[in-house]
Amino acid sequence: MKSEDNDRVVWVTGAGKGIGRSLAMQLAKEGREVAVTSRTERDLISLKSEARDMLGKIYPYPGDVTDINKIKILFNKIQADIGVIDLAILNAGTYIRFGIDKFSPELFREQMEINTMGTVNCLSPVMHDMKTRREGHIVIVSSLSAYRGLPYASAYGASKAALTNMCESLKPELDNFDVKLSVVHPGFVRTPLTDRNDFEMPFLVDAEFASKRIIEGIRRGKFEIFFPSKLALIMKLLRCLPYYLYFAVTKRILKK
């Protein structure tokens, strides 16, 4: 990210809590005009208040990313109110943890609707606008769990793997229109979502660490932004294992 007027207007989804909130604060601190979206309006109002003395400004735009029609309206309103979006960080998502005992089409669909289709709903207007202008940067937050299937994350991992695969598919086309695309693969980040987990989370980092790594990756124009490094290395190595070895590892996870 440059210090000039580039990336002046930023849109961050899932900005009410966790990584999204920390990203919005950091960007406002740097002087950006930051449109923030979350389903919970009071989170956005408190975020705006918290950033009131910063160099940039927070603009709350509450909305549900799963509502495709309202997201289109919201996107147009942001651009009419603040200006064209230079940088879009599509971060909204959740984690619905379940095993085979609770496996159902309803739970799986809910996870995919929020994480995958919610991102696609926001991506579509942003991408077509940037393609027309031949400029802009899109950042999509996936997960290290996109690398391989993990126990109790059949829907979550699938939703994030779909995002990663989509980014790999879109990047060559977007390059032809001078639109940058980045995919973020975080490990465990301390947020209200992970606070509910009752299992060990190796190499846990806080949201401020995560936001700084993401912004650093954006500045460097990286396609893949991943952290923490040790967990990312482990997951990258697991991705290379043949199935018989990989399942020996994941079965040990089940026994813990």
Side-chain angles (χ1 to χ4, degrees):
M1 201 181 307
K2 299 178 181 178
S3 59
E4 300 88 28
D5 210 26
N6 294 23
D7 298 343
R8 184 184 69 85
V9 177
V10 185
W11 182 26
V12 182
T13 67
K17 296 180 175 69
I19 296 175
R21 188 182 184 93
S22 183
L23 277 167
M25 289 291 290
Q26 183 63 36
L27 291 163
K29 192 181 298 184
E30 294 182 359
R32 314 298 169 185
E33 304 288 281
V34 188
V36 291
T37 296
S38 169
R39 286 183 295 183
T40 307
E41 186 172 7
R42 66 177 177 272
D43 289 339
L44 302 183
I45 298 301
S46 69
L47 175 58
K48 179 181 179 180
S49 175
E50 192 175 343
R52 63 183 177 274
D53 296 325
M54 292 183 175
L55 192 59
K57 189 174 180 181
I58 298 289
Y59 299 83
Y61 288 89
D64 185 343
V65 296
T66 65
D67 190 327
I68 185 170
N69 293 320
K70 289 186 179 178
I71 284 297
K72 288 178 182 177
I73 294 169
L74 186 148
F75 168 79
N76 290 329
K77 182 167 175 54
I78 292 171
Q79 300 221 124
D81 292 349
I82 312 173
V84 295
I85 295 169
D86 304 299
L87 170 64
I89 304 178
L90 307 183
N91 164 74
T94 192
Y95 174 37
I96 304 175
R97 186 173 187 261
F98 57 88
I100 60 174
D101 55 332
K102 294 184 179 178
F103 189 95
S104 70
E106 292 78 15
L107 277 177
F108 210 99
R109 183 178 295 109
E110 181 182 358
Q111 183 74 95
M112 298 298 288
E113 281 292 330
I114 296 170
N115 289 3
T116 306
M117 293 312 302
T119 299
V120 170
N121 291 342
C122 299
L123 172 63
S124 181
V126 168
M127 183 169 61
H128 291 301
D129 179 73
M130 290 184 177
K131 173 178 171 288
T132 300
R133 293 189 284 117
R134 301 187 73 93
E135 63 179 359
H137 194 158
I138 301 166
V139 179
I140 291 177
V141 179
S142 178
S143 166
L144 285 177
S145 67
Y147 287 171
R148 295 212 75 159
L150 296 169
Y152 304 111
S154 57
Y156 179 77
S159 71
K160 294 298 189 176
L163 293 180
T164 297
N165 191 290
M166 178 183 70
C167 290
E168 292 169 349
S169 175
L170 292 174
K171 188 182 187 307
E173 289 187 83
L174 288 173
D175 283 348
N176 289 334
F177 291 92
D178 299 318
V179 177
K180 297 176 184 176
L181 177 64
S182 300
V183 61
V184 183
H185 291 135
F188 292 108
V189 179
R190 187 177 290 108
T191 68
L193 273 177
T194 55
D195 286 344
R196 298 185 309 203
N197 290 342
D198 58 359
F199 56 89
E200 182 182 352
M201 294 175 284
F203 308 108
L204 181 69
V205 299
D206 60 32
E208 184 178 358
F209 174 91
S211 64
K212 287 180 178 178
R213 288 295 297 269
I214 292 170
I215 291 172
E216 177 189 355
I218 292 171
R219 282 200 182 101
R220 294 171 60 187
K222 295 181 67 175
F223 170 67
E224 185 189 16
I225 303 167
F226 57 83
F227 55 86
S229 298
K230 289 181 179 178
L231 183 57
L233 177 60
I234 291 170
M235 291 302 297
K236 286 175 182 286
L237 290 173
L238 287 175
R239 187 166 54 175
C240 299
L241 289 181
Y243 279 124
Y244 76 95
L245 287 176
Y246 181 67
F247 291 139
V249 172
T250 53
K251 284 178 182 178
R252 291 183 64 182
I253 295 174
L254 285 175
K255 293 177 182 178
K256 291 184 178 181

